């Protein structure tokens, strides 16, 4: 096996690091990650009794974080949040602004992308088991910020916020973690050849 073929498997790299390094690359990756998150947010299904819809956003956030790494993942999700606050209609269901009760999930997504990106640099996206662990941790971070924010913003009790902002999403998030569990280690295996 040549040195070039072995390079992708080294710990310390994320998938984006396999592209030729440049400032233009990093800007494009950050903007692309924000745009992917905005597009995935438009895959949106309302949940009866909840101000928070099911979206493809969580999967995009976790993939952006793991593929770009902590720094670019953070910048990508910060750009997504700031542009949405400034009026770009790319939050769930084509909304924007920071006043929605679900905005806390977006804040949690910034932190989650950063954490899963740091874990990916340590090889958390190389095997199915490690990937699912990183994805579940990322999802837990999103809920740890989003659910209390929902409770405060919508004047809900903690139990009502959990019932409306966590429980309906657990099955879908398990499916998203499973998709990432298959996609990320497979990408590394393909690139290692």
């Amino acid at each position: 096996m040549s040195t070039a073929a072995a390079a992708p498997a080294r710990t310390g790299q994320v998938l984006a690091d396999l592209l030729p390094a440049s400032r233009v690359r990093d800007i494009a990756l950050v903007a692309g990650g924000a745009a992917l998150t905005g597009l995935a947010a438009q895959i949106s299904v309302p949940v009866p009794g909840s101000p928070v819809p099911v979206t493809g956003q969580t999967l995009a956030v976790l993939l952006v974080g793991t593929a770009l790494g902590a720094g670019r993942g953070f910048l990508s999700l910060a750009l997504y949040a700031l542009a949405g606050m400034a009026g770009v209609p790319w939050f769930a269901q084509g909304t924007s602004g920071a006043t929605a009760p679900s905005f806390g999930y977006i804040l949690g997504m910034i932190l989650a992308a950063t954490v899963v990106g740091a874990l990916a640099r340590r090889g958390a996206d190389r095997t199915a088991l490690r990937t699912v662990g990183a994805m579940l941790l990322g999802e837990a971070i999103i809920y740890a910020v989003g659910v209390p924010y929902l409770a405060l913003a919508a004047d809900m009790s903690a139990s009502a916020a959990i019932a409306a902002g966590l429980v309906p999403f657990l099955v879908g998030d398990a499916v998203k973690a499973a998709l990432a569990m298959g996609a990320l280690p497979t990408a590394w295996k393909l690139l290692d050849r």
Side-chain angles (χ1 to χ4, degrees), residues 85-117:
M85 290 169 54
V88 174
W90 62 0
F91 291 161
Q93 300 171 322
T95 61
S96 63
T99 60
S102 60
F103 188 70
Y105 294 92
I106 293 168
L107 297 175
M109 289 173 189
I110 297 169
L111 181 58
T114 305
V115 169
V116 298

Side-chain angles (χ1 to χ4, degrees), residues 11-184:
T11 301
Q13 289 184 313
V14 294
L15 288 168
D17 293 335
L18 302 179
L19 298 171
S22 76
R23 181 163 287 167
V24 172
R25 172 202 71 175
D26 289 340
I27 292 169
L29 288 171
V30 166
L36 175 66
T37 305
L39 286 171
Q42 303 320 303
I43 302 167
S44 178
V45 178
V47 175
S50 176
V52 182
V54 171
T55 69
Q57 194 174 23
T58 306
L59 178 60
V61 165
L62 298 174
L63 291 175
V64 165
T66 54
L68 301 186
R72 289 179 297 238
F74 170 82
L75 291 173
S76 188
L77 271 295
L79 174 61
Y80 171 71
L82 291 171
M85 290 169 54
V88 174
W90 62 0
F91 291 161
Q93 300 171 322
T95 61
S96 63
T99 60
S102 60
F103 188 70
Y105 294 92
I106 293 168
L107 297 175
M109 289 173 189
I110 297 169
L111 181 58
T114 305
V115 169
V116 298
L119 292 173
R121 265 210 201 280
R122 291 169 177 81
D125 60 343
R126 301 314 197 309
T127 68
L129 187 58
R130 284 195 257 162
T131 300
V132 79
M135 297 300 109
L136 293 175
L137 177 61
E139 290 171 354
I141 290 168
I142 294 168
Y143 288 118
V145 177
V147 173
Y149 189 101
L150 174 65
L152 291 172
D155 196 27
M156 301 172 125
S157 68
S159 61
I162 290 168
L166 171 66
V167 174
F169 306 97
L170 293 177
V171 171
D173 283 343
V175 170
K176 292 172 191 176
L179 289 171
M181 179 179 73
L184 293 166

